[in-house]
Amino acid sequence: MDGPLDLAVVVPTFNERANVAALVARLDRALGGIAWEAIFVDDDSPDGTADAARALALVDPRIRVIQRIGRRGLSSACIEGMCATAAPLVAVIDGDLQHDETILPAMARALAADAALDLVIGSRFVDGGGTGDWDKDRVAKSALATRLSRRVLKADLSDPMSGFFMIRTAIVRGLTPHLSAIGFKILLDLMTTSPRPLNFKELPYTFRVRTAGESKLDHVVAMEFLIALYDRMFGRFIPVRFAMFAAVGALGALVHLAVVGPLHKDLAVGFIKSSIAATAVAMTFNFFLNNALTYRDGRLKGARALFDGWVSFCAVCAVGAIANVGVAAFLYNAQSDTWILSALAGIAVSAVWNYALSSRFVWGRY
Ligand SMILES: Nc1nc2c(ncn2[C@@H]2O[C@H](COP(=O)(O)OP(=O)(O)O)[C@@H](O)[C@H]2O)c(=O)[nH]1
Ligand SMILES: [Mg+2]
């Protein structure tokens, strides 16, 4: 198609190899008369999704592929895709054929017809929309998330969980530096980050049943949703990653106590030896928990990466422990008996130290 690009369709994918060609064929059918490109943003799917998309891109310059290495996350994938186009309009659509691409032209027409409109959202919960063959459980979970986010985020959307929308690209570029980029819900992120309420319109569609591949909506995703809510409410005061790191650290302290107690009291191991053993157990526990939760988007995988990560994490924490004791000893004043405050200050300093250095040197490769 000649003439300037009208629309970029961003397709975040993780293990969607079997759906790529079908989606491109459907976009091609739906978008007649529109100059479009599709940008697959794939998080290095083991099933070779990026290769499948590149095979199409080789013979069709409308298809592009961003293959992200060592990173995971639906929101951040969408953002990167949206920032990688020159088209004035950008849509986000799932790569598993569950969203109805045939309403894309109507979305584009709505934006063309009204310059004051910022975005058009595909909604399952306005008249004419639907959730297709969802089971009761999924409907209930989605309804709960919808209510929660409406209340917390004060966004009056019928379907804030929708991952299907079209927006003016310039708006996204303006908001990108301020997005939280965590979790599953890029639409919410955009709408709540904007300093002025975005002017939106909802178009109905029916959510289709997934026929190939698997849903990635699992417990981790539910957790990410809560994290994103936290970030919106308190993230300005205490960054969400630090909050998680500190929570993991607190659990680590409990693990430490649970090891020292029995070793020292019941098995009569010397206190120093018990403490060293407990420290090793707690650090290992913290390393794996941080790897699975706090840094799940940059998770270390494979024996070698895990071992190297564990060694550097222990090194960082060892220095943190020395700083902890140093600060506490410096502040401690025997006369006024300030041991609690001194101990807390020591803990705070070592927590910040551990966090700052481990995010840089243990999980900071990318
Ligand atoms: N790039 C990228 N895409 C993802 C990730 N998680 C899910 N997706 C894609 O996002 C879309 C929606 O995910 P899906 O698991 O189908 O969610 P559901 O429809 O709510 O069950 C699909 O195209 C997935 O392949 C991720 O971590 N990174
Ligand atoms: Mg899906």
Side-chain angles (χ1 to χ4, degrees), residues 16 94 96 98-99 138 207 210 214-216:
E16 303 288 0
D94 281 1
D96 56 5
Q98 291 194 274
H99 291 158
R138 178 82 198 252
F207 201 65
R210 188 190 253 283
E214 287 169 9
S215 171
K216 281 99 223 166

Side-chain angles (χ1 to χ4, degrees), residues 14 16 48 55 74 130 209 215 219 277 280 305 345 353:
F14 192 76
E16 303 288 0
L74 181 50
V209 180
S215 171
H219 298 296
W353 164 276

Side-chain angles (χ1 to χ4, degrees), residues 68-267:
R68 307 199 305 166
I69 310 291
R71 278 190 292 160
R72 270 302 296 279
L74 181 50
S75 273
S76 64
C78 294
I79 294 166
E80 266 169 65
M82 290 192 281
C83 289
T85 184
L89 296 180
V90 61
V92 173
I93 191 169
D94 281 1
D96 56 5
L97 311 175
Q98 291 194 274
H99 291 158
D100 183 358
E101 72 291 336
T102 63
I103 72 168
L104 286 168
M107 290 174 155
R109 276 198 302 276
L111 285 160
D114 181 359
L117 194 60
D118 297 313
L119 77 159
V120 181
I121 301 162
S123 170
R124 297 161 290 191
F125 305 124
V126 289
D127 263 355
T131 48
D133 275 1
W134 268 10
D135 55 44
K136 271 219 183 80
D137 183 48
R138 178 82 198 252
V139 171
K141 276 184 195 152
S142 177
L144 178 68
T146 301
R147 270 208 309 282
L148 203 63
S149 56
R150 256 196 226 152
R151 162 125 10 128
V152 172
L153 304 166
K154 304 188 186 74
D156 192 21
L157 295 170
S158 76
D159 193 359
M161 300 295 110
S162 175
F164 184 29
F165 59 94
M166 187 182 295
I167 187 168
R168 297 189 196 280
T169 319
I171 294 177
V172 178
R173 275 196 293 271
L175 294 176
T176 298
H178 313 289
L179 295 173
S180 82
I182 325 170
F184 228 50
K185 296 306 165 195
I186 177 62
L187 178 63
L188 280 178
D189 204 0
L190 285 167
M191 298 200 61
T192 57
T193 298
S194 175
R196 67 175 171 92
L198 292 180
N199 191 358
F200 67 89
K201 179 180 175 167
E202 298 182 300
L203 288 183
Y205 78 96
T206 300
F207 201 65
R208 298 195 195 113
V209 180
R210 188 190 253 283
T211 50
E214 287 169 9
S215 171
K216 281 99 223 166
L217 193 124
D218 54 13
H219 298 296
V220 174
V221 168
M223 185 191 78
E224 290 196 328
F225 177 67
L226 295 177
I227 292 172
L229 287 186
Y230 167 94
D231 190 52
R232 266 289 152 252
M233 293 192 289
F234 310 114
R236 254 176 307 154
F237 311 112
I238 299 180
V240 61
R241 228 191 265 278
F242 179 73
M244 293 183 73
F245 191 85
V248 168
L251 284 179
L254 293 180
V255 168
H256 186 109
L257 293 178
V259 174
V260 170
L263 273 186
H264 182 56
K265 283 257 156 53
D266 306 336
L267 301 174

